[in-house]
Amino acid sequence: MDIWELLYERARAEYRPTDVSPFVTAHHVACAIEAENGEIYTGFCIESCSGVMNLCAERLAALNMYLSSGQTRIRRLIACRDKAPDDGEASGMPCGACREFLYQLDERNEDMEILRDLSTRKTVTLKELLPGWWGRKRYAEWRENN
């Protein structure tokens, strides 16, 4: 089993659409990430009637990584619903808010691999999804002062 199969199995274990209450649903999108040190963290989407409280699976997985280990750098990410990413309808691509958060968490995440298709192992980098990211200058200034 390669790393993508392992990540898919871990993400798929989180996929179990659930009505938490009449207002909140969870587990209808799942994610697994491989941290820089090789550890795997998972997350699932949770949504409520008030959109500002929604949290995507990708952000929850990254937050689980940070809370558990203090790590901010991600090597690989897979997101899925009821089937593996297939470069079509089940693309598994992070939304814009997640893309932005992953970049803001650690600019080196621009090189992380995001799985587009499990059968072909086709990937895309965060840098390819957000070319010309606006935060580079701010990161450079931060590095100079820290």
Side-chain angles (χ1 to χ4, degrees), residues 47-104:
E47 294 182 347
S48 70
C49 289
S50 175
V52 296
M53 292 188 276
N54 296 348
L55 187 58
C56 293
E58 297 90 336
R59 282 180 276 157
L60 186 55
L63 290 171
N64 280 335
M65 175 186 69
Y66 179 72
L67 289 169
S68 297
S69 67
Q71 295 180 86
T72 57
R73 192 165 183 192
I74 300 167
R75 285 185 190 167
R76 295 177 182 89
L77 178 147
I78 184 173
C80 62
R81 290 181 183 249
D82 59 337
K83 60 182 182 174
D86 64 7
D87 212 17
E89 219 173 282
S91 69
M93 289 294 96
C95 72
C98 288
R99 295 172 191 192
E100 184 65 36
F101 177 77
L102 295 168
Y103 238 129
Q104 289 184 23

Side-chain angles (χ1 to χ4, degrees), residues 2-117:
D2 72 1
I3 186 63
W4 290 116
E5 278 291 328
L6 180 59
L7 289 170
Y8 176 59
E9 291 299 318
R10 295 288 299 275
R12 193 172 69 171
E14 291 291 345
Y15 179 79
R16 52 184 185 279
T18 305
D19 290 333
V20 176
S21 77
F23 307 98
V24 177
T25 61
H27 293 275
H28 58 280
V29 177
C31 177
I33 59 173
E34 179 190 10
E36 181 176 34
N37 72 354
E39 292 179 27
I40 296 174
Y41 298 90
T42 61
F44 56 86
C45 186
I46 186 164
E47 294 182 347
S48 70
C49 289
S50 175
V52 296
M53 292 188 276
N54 296 348
L55 187 58
C56 293
E58 297 90 336
R59 282 180 276 157
L60 186 55
L63 290 171
N64 280 335
M65 175 186 69
Y66 179 72
L67 289 169
S68 297
S69 67
Q71 295 180 86
T72 57
R73 192 165 183 192
I74 300 167
R75 285 185 190 167
R76 295 177 182 89
L77 178 147
I78 184 173
C80 62
R81 290 181 183 249
D82 59 337
K83 60 182 182 174
D86 64 7
D87 212 17
E89 219 173 282
S91 69
M93 289 294 96
C95 72
C98 288
R99 295 172 191 192
E100 184 65 36
F101 177 77
L102 295 168
Y103 238 129
Q104 289 184 23
L105 184 62
D106 191 316
E107 72 177 324
R108 297 172 297 174
N109 286 337
E110 72 180 6
D111 295 320
M112 67 188 280
E113 292 180 280
I114 300 165
L115 189 68
R116 290 182 60 165
D117 190 301

